[in-house]
Amino acid sequence: SVKTAVDKAVAVGDIFTVDSHVLTSIHPSVLPAITATVEIKKVEALGVVETISAVAAIQAGDVAAKAGNVQLVEIRIARGLGGKGFVLFTGDLGSVETSVRACEKKLGEEGGIVSSAVIPSPHKDLISSVL
């Protein structure tokens, strides 16, 4: 029924529909990351994935959370970003690298990724501005 609803919305939106996707078995950390209500205690490494659309940002958050032992910090979607989005996540360096690579692979296949970065041991000023 979700796929049917999305297909109908895409048909109604016609040429004004930028992107659509149905996420199955969404990771439980995705929704709190969209509302930026996640409490982060420690940042070892920071992963950043910039996407072409809000839908791709949500998909990237789901991919990142499922690919590595990372904690989503925030999924920022479309607010003042020209429809783009980005995802921030943290964990140990290896896990963050794994999640960034998974996002690059999955979203790269679909053309949804703009750029990505892994920041090992980010400066405390960066951490405070992100959190």
Side-chain angles (χ1 to χ4, degrees), residues 19-94:
D19 200 359
S20 69
H21 190 81
V22 175
L23 289 175
T24 57
S25 302
I26 190 167
H27 193 277
S29 65
V30 169
L31 296 179
I34 291 171
T35 60
T37 57
V38 179
E39 187 175 324
I40 306 295
K41 296 186 189 301
K42 182 179 181 185
V43 175
E44 293 180 52
L46 190 64
V48 183
V49 176
E50 181 185 10
T51 63
I52 197 76
S53 69
V55 170
I58 295 167
Q59 183 181 11
D62 188 56
V63 168
K66 289 175 179 173
N69 186 23
V70 297
Q71 184 176 11
L72 297 178
V73 175
E74 182 177 5
I75 300 174
R76 178 76 58 95
I77 51 175
R79 293 174 242 138
L81 299 171
K84 290 183 180 181
F86 65 88
V87 181
L88 299 169
F89 48 91
T90 187
D92 65 81
L93 182 58

